[in-house]
Amino acid sequence: MGIVGNLSVNQLDSFNSEGFLVLDSFASPEEIQEMRARMDDLLHQFDGSSSSIFSTRNQQQSTDDYFFESAEKVSFFFEEKAFGDDGLLKQPKELSINKVGHALHEIDPVFKKFSHSDKISGLLLSLGYKRPVIIQSMYIFKQPGIGGEVVPHQDNSFLRTEPPSCTGLWLALEDATIVNGCLWAIPGSHKNGLVRKFIRDKDGVHFDHPSPSYDIKEFVPLEVKAGSLVVIHGDLVHQSFENNSPSSRHAFSLHAVDTYRCSWIKDNWIQRKVDPEPLYVS
């Protein structure tokens, strides 16, 4: 196979205890620049004729075929606050996009190179994955002034396998701070298990339970430098606040699940026509 696990015992202990792990300088400045430049190219090519609005508060209302089909495409989603009362963008499209997803890792060569790199595979091998696939990817902009809130959630709600196997890999492409909307997490919350499921059925998508109320005092900020990777357990409760600052907070996010003795739940929002290729088989 040739893939070697790259996490230490102490790092694994910390991840298992806290539910997250920060790996400084995981991506090189050259890798960051390459991905950001590629996204600039994709935005330049995007004409705005096909797109959707993304919201974590109103996902049920804003879900449409464009969203569902994005599972196997490179699709563009605008910020809720990008449009004026007249329905027109209030600023250039480059400053109006919430995210691009959900198959950059599969379709675009620049993002595929990083997503399929040995260091991503080595990380997943360290976490015990036997036949991992990247099930979705997102380039997240967190635009200055209008970057939307991401409400408290668990990744396993959206990307369920039996048994559960989702891990989030969140790469900072710019410094992420309290001011520009960094991640916040409740340490150890993954130990409490999954609290609700995001289900797709004939009526669209919905949660099976309302969101619990969380004490904001339990969350800790995960301020990181560009190039840092935040590894997120699928049951970790995490969120980010609106970006009201003049600085963006670009990030590239991957979610991996195992396909070895793990079954993809049929009522997940992602219902692919073609199964993703595993990164490796161990």
Side-chain angles (χ1 to χ4, degrees), residues 120-175:
I120 291 290
S121 294
L123 171 57
L124 294 173
L125 185 65
S126 289
L127 294 175
Y129 283 78
K130 300 294 187 183
R131 192 169 62 208
V133 299
I134 304 296
I135 197 64
Q136 74 171 20
S137 55
M138 298 176 285
Y139 190 108
I140 305 165
F141 294 84
K142 205 73 164 180
Q143 301 284 8
I146 64 168
E149 172 190 16
V150 177
V151 298
H153 67 281
Q154 299 166 294
D155 292 339
N156 268 333
S157 293
F158 304 92
L159 304 166
R160 288 173 289 124
T161 61
E162 180 56 46
S165 66
C166 179
T167 297
L169 306 174
W170 191 94
L171 178 70
L173 299 176
E174 297 181 291
D175 293 352

Side-chain angles (χ1 to χ4, degrees), residues 25-39 110-111 113-114 119 171-173 226-227:
S25 302
F26 187 86
S28 68
E30 293 75 21
E31 288 174 313
I32 294 170
Q33 177 56 34
E34 186 177 25
M35 284 187 272
R36 294 195 61 183
R38 177 57 182 154
M39 184 51 63
V110 171
F111 290 97
K113 181 171 69 171
F114 177 81
K119 58 187 172 183
L171 178 70
L173 299 176

Side-chain angles (χ1 to χ4, degrees), residues 224-238:
V224 295
K225 293 292 186 182
S228 299
L229 186 77
V230 184
V231 186
I232 302 171
H233 189 285
D235 283 342
L236 182 77
V237 178
H238 59 290

